[in-house]
Each structure stands twice: as C-alpha cells, then as structure tokens.
Amino acid sequence: MKYNLIIARYGEVALKSQKVRRRFEKRLMKNIKSSIDCDVRIIQGRIFIFPKDFDDAIAKLDKIFGIVSYSPAVSTEGTFEGVEKELSDYVDDLIEDNLIDENTKFAISCRRVGTHEFTSQEMAAFAGAVVVRKLSCPVDLTNPELTIYVEVRDNDAYIYHEKIPGPGGLPLGTQGKVISLLSSGIDSPVATYLMMKRGCQVISLYFDNEPYTTSEARKNYEDLVDKLNVYGSGAPVRKRIVKYGDYLKKAKEDAPDKMTCILCKSGMYQIAAKLAKDMHASAIIDGSSLGQVASQTLPNIMATRENVDVPILSPVIGLDKLEITRIAEKIGTFEISKRDDGGCKAVPKYPETKADIELLHESKESMDQKEEIQKAFESIEY
C-alpha cells in the first residue's frame, strides 16, 4: 500500500476548553515529533502526520498517549474526479494485498468537513460505484467485511481502510510531575504506566535494599524503566535510586520485628515526599492493591501514610492480581517483573497487619526514623 500520510485522532482532549485544548495539542505534537521523524499538523480536530519512515511510525504510534486511533491514508483533491482516480488506485493496492476481491462485502463510510457541492451520502454512493465498477463486489452497509473510509476536508480528501487503536489517555507531560515508587515487582510498573497514560511525567524512585535484596532486583528495575520508556515519548521516565539497606537494618535492630514492613513503607513515603518537593512534583504514586500484602491492609495504609504531606495516589488499589497481571502482560513489563530476584529478606515471619498507632510512634522513636530518613535521602543517586 502506497500511503502518504497518517491521520491520527484524539479523544477527551477535544472536550477541553479552547485554551487548554491548544496546550494539549501542542504537547501531543511535540511528543509525536520526539519519537517519529515526521512533520505534524493538527487541523480541525485531526492530527496529520507525514513520516519519513511509515513502518517506524506505525510501530510507535500505539505507544504515544493521547492518540485514540490512527489510519494510514492517501490524499487527493476533494472532488469527484480526485476521489475516483485515487480510490481506483487504492482498490488496486487492496487487491494486491488480498484484502478485497469480487466476493468481499464492502461499505463506504464518508465524512465531510467544510462546504461542498455534494452531500456525504452522494460522495459515498459515488465512491461505492467506483469500487463496484472495478470488482463487481457486493455492497453491505450492515455487516461489511471491509469498510473504505473517504474523508473530505475542505479542498482535500483522504482515503483509508483501517482505524488502528492507540493507547488513548492524555498527552504525556500535560498533568505535571509525580514521584513513582517503582520496584521490580508486578504492581508498581502498572501503576506507573496508568499515571503516564493520564498525562503525568514520572520520576521513578527505587529503594535499593541490599543486603536484604540482590543486585538482580536493581537490574530488573533498570529494565522496567527501559520498558516503560517505550511509552515515554516527549517525557521519558527519570531514575532516582535510594540506598535503603541501612535504614532497614536500623528498623530491624531497634524496633519490633513485626513492624519492619510498616516502618519500611513509612520511610519510603516520607523520602518520596522530600524528593517531590525538591523536584516540584505534585504527587507520589505507588502500586498498593488493597489487602494484597501486609503493608496494604487499610489500617497499615493509614499508618504508613501518617504525616506525609504530599498526595499519594494508588492507581491499582481496587484491582486484584489477575487484573494487574493482564495489564502488565499487555504493556510488556510482566516478563521482567516475574524474574526471580530472591525477594526481600527483611520481611518478618509474622508481619503486622493491623498497625497500632502508639506502637508505630514508639517504633519510629526507637529507631530515630527522622535521622535515618535524612541519611537515606542524602544517598539518592541522580
């Protein structure tokens, strides 16, 4: 098929006020151009992309947030004569690609924008006649096997037969920055992806728990960031790493063993809050799924977030493991997350599942949590 452009569409961006919409459109064009070598124009709610390499563009467009669907297309004059000539050549290419023959039930879908001497129905009937004269194939407007789209916009017309789904969401970078607590597990990469889809620029924060975890866990984290950055056009995920082993050691030595996981998560949130203020981020993201592990019971969620003065968002809080895994498989992070990295050896045999606030306060004091948090914060690798 000899295409000369790609028509892409956005969804909820169109619902914004004119000022906000222009800003989102400008960001979306920037993100497209950062990933694809192309010219981009947005005209009347459509994105017209003229790539140097069509195969490369098609491979990348379904990873750019804000795009709902896209169609490789050919352009011609918005007249009966222009449509007839280009559509005839287009059908030849469809035949060559075995997409249509004399038995294929087809339909023409026509859309117009602007003022013309014909209606959409008249152009659709004319285009259908062009195809029938060429192949004598049956028209079926109810249940077609192939739909050919003719879109007439002012003086130009565009012909295509595919509407390829994009990832949807909002253009990356339109919703500010967030700090994501990104581990090597299954949940937090999915949570990070979902917030990227909502337009957030992500700064990932990894807690290196050595000697309680192995170097494989950190390697998996690095690979997960690389995988998420497939979706990072225009605003790639940035990496920050905290040396957290000394903090955990202090918690295990100076506080009740059953409180280790709560003190661990509490420290993570507070370090993330400090980093958020330093980097002008507006929220913290984590992969909490209610009741999945000891630190994610409702009492423990409340206890671990005590005194954290930055909003904490948990995009997968209401999803079960199967639902989270399905998303991980879809976005390509599951195969990395399921690697055996040895787990965390700091987890106690009987972790607390219903934290007592008074005991938590005593535990924080006994390990001098504020000092240990500051030490860990100062260890962050940029």
Side-chain angles (χ1 to χ4, degrees):
M1 192 70 71
K2 303 175 184 67
Y3 302 115
N4 58 10
L5 80 157
I6 299 170
I7 301 174
R9 307 164 191 87
Y10 49 68
E12 58 188 294
V13 171
L15 304 177
K16 307 297 181 185
S17 68
Q18 188 175 10
K19 182 179 178 181
V20 173
R21 177 174 172 172
R22 281 198 302 266
R23 178 168 64 86
F24 280 29
E25 287 176 339
K26 185 176 179 181
R27 183 70 199 212
L28 182 53
M29 285 194 294
K30 174 182 180 291
N31 292 351
I32 291 170
K33 293 185 75 171
S34 73
S35 181
I36 299 168
D37 186 6
C38 64
D39 293 324
V40 183
R41 303 169 204 157
I42 294 185
I43 305 171
Q44 299 169 326
R46 288 287 187 268
I47 308 164
F48 295 86
I49 304 167
F50 302 87
K52 303 290 173 58
D53 183 330
F54 265 83
D55 290 338
D56 178 68
I58 295 298
K60 291 177 177 175
L61 277 173
D62 68 348
K63 304 291 192 300
I64 298 177
F65 293 120
I67 294 177
V68 171
S69 67
Y70 54 95
S71 302
V74 296
S75 60
T76 186
E77 294 179 358
T79 63
F80 286 120
E81 295 79 8
V83 168
E84 181 175 18
K85 180 182 182 306
E86 196 60 53
L87 180 56
S88 180
D89 291 343
Y90 195 88
V91 172
D92 285 339
D93 288 339
L94 291 174
I95 294 170
E96 186 176 334
D97 292 341
N98 296 317
L99 295 174
I100 191 171
D101 59 30
E102 64 275 8
N103 298 312
T104 304
K105 293 184 289 184
F106 83 99
I108 299 288
S109 175
C110 182
R111 172 190 173 96
R112 288 185 312 112
V113 176
T115 303
H116 303 93
E117 295 180 350
F118 51 83
T119 66
S120 298
Q121 289 81 4
E122 288 171 340
M123 176 56 81
F126 175 81
V130 172
V131 179
V132 170
R133 281 199 303 270
K134 202 166 190 71
L135 278 173
S136 298
C137 48
V139 175
D140 187 336
L141 302 181
T142 304
N143 188 29
E145 297 170 297
L146 176 72
T147 299
I148 299 173
Y149 299 88
V150 178
E151 202 165 301
V152 184
R153 292 179 168 269
D154 294 327
N155 297 323
D156 299 308
Y158 305 93
I159 300 169
Y160 54 91
H161 70 281
E162 292 182 286
K163 286 187 177 180
I164 304 169
L170 295 173
L172 192 60
T174 59
Q175 300 301 303
K177 290 186 285 189
V178 296
I179 306 295
S180 177
L181 304 184
L182 185 60
S183 71
S184 61
I186 296 171
D187 304 336
S188 59
V190 170
T192 302
Y193 165 85
L194 291 174
M195 295 311 297
M196 292 171 70
K197 185 174 180 178
R198 296 311 302 162
C200 292
Q201 182 176 357
V202 171
I203 301 154
S204 66
L205 183 59
Y206 175 73
F207 289 81
D208 186 347
N209 295 343
E210 287 196 82
Y212 299 102
T213 55
T214 67
S215 59
E216 287 301 311
R218 177 162 171 169
K219 172 65 166 58
N220 290 353
Y221 159 76
E222 302 272 1
D223 290 347
L224 285 167
V225 171
D226 290 343
K227 181 61 69 173
L228 288 168
N229 270 332
V230 171
Y231 299 89
S233 297
V237 177
R238 288 187 276 174
K239 294 185 282 190
R240 299 293 183 266
I241 298 175
V242 182
K243 295 291 186 182
Y244 207 51
D246 288 344
Y247 175 95
L248 280 177
K249 184 172 184 291
K250 190 75 171 173
K252 290 188 75 65
E253 288 178 348
D254 294 356
D257 192 50
K258 68 178 183 176
M259 297 296 289
T260 299
C261 292
I262 295 172
L263 290 169
C264 176
K265 200 62 175 282
S266 168
M268 288 180 175
Y269 286 140
Q270 292 184 60
I271 291 168
K274 290 169 73 70
L275 182 62
K277 291 171 185 174
D278 270 12
M279 302 199 71
H280 307 290
S282 301
I284 298 166
I285 307 303
D286 78 348
S288 292
S289 171
L290 187 62
Q292 191 176 116
V293 296
S295 64
Q296 294 172 15
T297 64
L298 276 178
N300 285 1
I301 287 173
M302 182 174 69
T304 54
R305 300 182 183 193
E306 185 186 36
N307 297 326
V308 179
D309 55 359
V310 174
I312 300 171
L313 309 179
S314 302
V316 300
I317 192 75
L319 303 183
D320 61 32
K321 201 67 174 184
L322 181 58
E323 292 169 312
I324 297 170
T325 297
R326 284 173 181 158
I327 299 174
E329 290 173 337
K330 177 184 174 182
I331 65 176
T333 58
F334 179 70
E335 290 301 320
I336 300 170
S337 295
K338 76 173 187 178
R339 295 175 189 164
D340 184 10
D341 60 15
C344 179
K345 302 299 189 294
V347 177
K349 186 175 182 180
Y350 301 108
E352 180 62 72
T353 58
K354 191 175 181 180
D356 177 82
I357 295 299
E358 288 187 13
L359 178 58
L360 176 60
H361 291 167
E362 292 172 6
S363 300
K364 288 180 178 180
E365 288 180 15
S366 64
M367 71 168 289
D368 197 353
Q369 190 192 50
K370 286 185 179 180
E371 181 179 346
E372 295 304 317
I373 284 171
Q374 185 59 34
K375 288 179 185 176
F377 181 74
E378 291 171 359
S379 78
I380 293 178
E381 297 177 17
Y382 286 76

